[in-house]
């Protein structure tokens, strides 16, 4: 039986939105207010999800791991503090963009973001290669499943919806069916339909049709 991976889905979603933002930041005309506003809108979603994810990791993954393996959370918590400072600086840079910047200023912002992105990607890879195995070694499969369920249940629906907007397109169909079938079984019909509506424009048309048919006929 496949063991519960506490980081996989959320990290795939974050890699997705980080990549989208990097692509958009690289091709934005920073003297065009409409393009800048599009970038800032995506940035708001990205930074919100990054902050929410950090808080979830600290409270719901690292805290219980630290209780079982004292000292195990030190590296990740220190990394979180370091990355949060860089993220805040980049977010402040983004907030000051108003469509009057020249090409050089835009390029410097792009480099600032990609510096943050590269460090963030290295951090979450470390979590998957080092922290995830510690969770698997020190918690039972049932404990990890129950913890994942608790995390999902405590998240406000708009936040969960925004997370799934980027998680679902970044996963394979089997992974998505596991999430969506559980969602269909336990959530109100309107909530399930809201998930389908938000992921549809984010996915390849053929992939969306295949996924929606599979989960609808479940």
């Amino acid at each position: 039986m496949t063991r519960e991976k506490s980081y996989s889905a959320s990290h795939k979603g974050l890699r997705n939105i980080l990549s989208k933002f990097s692509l958009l930041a690289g091709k934005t005309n920073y003297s065009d207010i409409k393009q800048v506003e599009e970038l800032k809108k995506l940035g708001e979603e990205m930074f919100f999800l990054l902050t929410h994810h950090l808080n979830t990791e600290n409270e719901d993954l690292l805290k219980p791991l630290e209780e079982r393996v004292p000292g195990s959370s030190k590296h990740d918590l220190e990394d979180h503090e370091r990355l949060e400072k860089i993220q805040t600086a980049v977010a402040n840079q983004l907030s000051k963009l108003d469509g009057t910047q020249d090409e050089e200023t835009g390029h410097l912002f792009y480099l600032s973001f990609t510096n943050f992105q590269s460090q963030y990607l290295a951090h979450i890879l470390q979590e998957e290669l080092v922290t995830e195995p510690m969770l698997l070694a020190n918690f039972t499969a049932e404990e990890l499943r129950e913890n994942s369920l608790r995390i999902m249940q405590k998240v406000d629906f708009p936040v969960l919806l925004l997370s799934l907007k980027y998680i679902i397109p970044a996963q394979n169909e089997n992974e998505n069916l596991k999430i969506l079938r559980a969602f269909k079984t336990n959530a109100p019909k309107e909530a399930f339909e809201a998930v389908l509506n938000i992921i549809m424009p984010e996915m390849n048309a053929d992939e969306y049709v295949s996924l929606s048919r599979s989960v609808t006929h479940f």
Side-chain angles (χ1 to χ4, degrees), residues 10 18 42 72 91 99 101 127 139 145 151 164 166-167 173 200 209 213:
S10 57
L18 285 162
L42 182 60
S72 59
Q101 282 70 36
E127 289 178 327
F139 293 85
R145 281 195 297 271
I151 291 171
L164 292 176
Y166 295 102
I167 289 173
E173 185 163 303
M200 181 170 61
V209 169
R213 282 178 177 171

Side-chain angles (χ1 to χ4, degrees), residues 50-60 84:
L50 288 171
T51 299
H52 179 267
H53 179 72
L54 179 148
N55 292 333
T56 298
E57 283 189 349
N58 286 352
E59 184 64 26
D60 299 305
E84 195 170 20

Side-chain angles (χ1 to χ4, degrees), residues 5-13 15 128 132 167 171 175:
K5 291 184 175 61
S6 301
Y7 289 98
S8 180
S10 57
H11 281 186
K12 284 188 176 183
R15 286 185 175 105
E128 290 167 336
E132 185 91 77
I167 289 173
Q171 296 194 129
E175 292 170 324

Side-chain angles (χ1 to χ4, degrees), residues 37-215:
E37 289 300 327
E38 181 183 2
L39 182 69
K40 293 175 81 168
K41 181 180 179 181
L42 182 60
E44 287 174 4
E45 292 187 347
M46 177 183 67
F47 289 129
F48 175 83
L49 289 176
L50 288 171
T51 299
H52 179 267
H53 179 72
L54 179 148
N55 292 333
T56 298
E57 283 189 349
N58 286 352
E59 184 64 26
D60 299 305
L61 294 176
L62 296 179
K63 185 176 179 180
L65 179 60
E66 180 68 23
E67 291 173 353
R68 293 204 177 176
V69 187
S72 59
S73 66
K74 183 176 185 294
H75 176 276
D76 289 356
L77 289 173
E78 289 177 350
D79 243 15
H80 287 173
E81 290 184 10
R82 176 180 61 84
L83 289 167
E84 195 170 20
K85 291 177 182 177
I86 303 172
Q87 177 183 318
T88 298
V90 176
N92 287 338
Q93 281 184 277
L94 179 63
S95 69
K96 295 175 182 177
L97 299 176
D98 59 7
T100 64
Q101 282 70 36
D102 58 22
E103 185 175 338
E104 183 61 22
T105 302
H107 184 64
L108 289 174
F109 169 74
Y110 173 72
L111 294 182
S112 292
F113 171 73
T114 54
N115 173 55
F116 166 69
Q117 181 187 24
S118 64
Q119 294 185 60
Y120 192 89
L121 291 176
H123 165 70
I124 61 176
L125 179 61
Q126 164 83 10
E127 289 178 327
E128 290 167 336
L129 294 177
V130 177
T131 311
E132 185 91 77
M134 283 197 286
L135 289 169
L136 292 170
N138 290 282
F139 293 85
T140 67
E142 184 62 24
E143 285 176 322
L144 292 174
R145 281 195 297 271
E146 289 177 354
N147 194 49
S148 292
L149 183 60
R150 278 195 299 270
I151 291 171
M152 183 173 290
Q153 289 174 336
K154 70 189 286 190
V155 176
D156 292 337
F157 181 67
V159 179
L160 180 59
L161 194 62
L162 182 62
S163 298
L164 292 176
K165 176 181 178 181
Y166 295 102
I167 289 173
I168 298 298
Q171 296 194 129
N172 64 52
E173 185 163 303
N174 288 335
E175 292 170 324
N176 287 331
L177 286 174
K178 179 182 176 182
I179 292 176
L180 293 181
R181 283 173 175 169
F183 208 89
K184 184 182 180 184
T185 300
N186 299 297
K189 180 181 178 181
E190 295 78 10
F192 175 69
E193 291 177 347
V195 173
L196 293 183
N197 288 335
I198 202 168
I199 65 174
M200 181 170 61
E202 302 294 323
M203 297 184 70
N204 171 280
D206 290 339
E207 291 177 347
Y208 175 79
V209 169
S210 176
L211 177 63
S212 59
R213 282 178 177 171
S214 296
V215 73

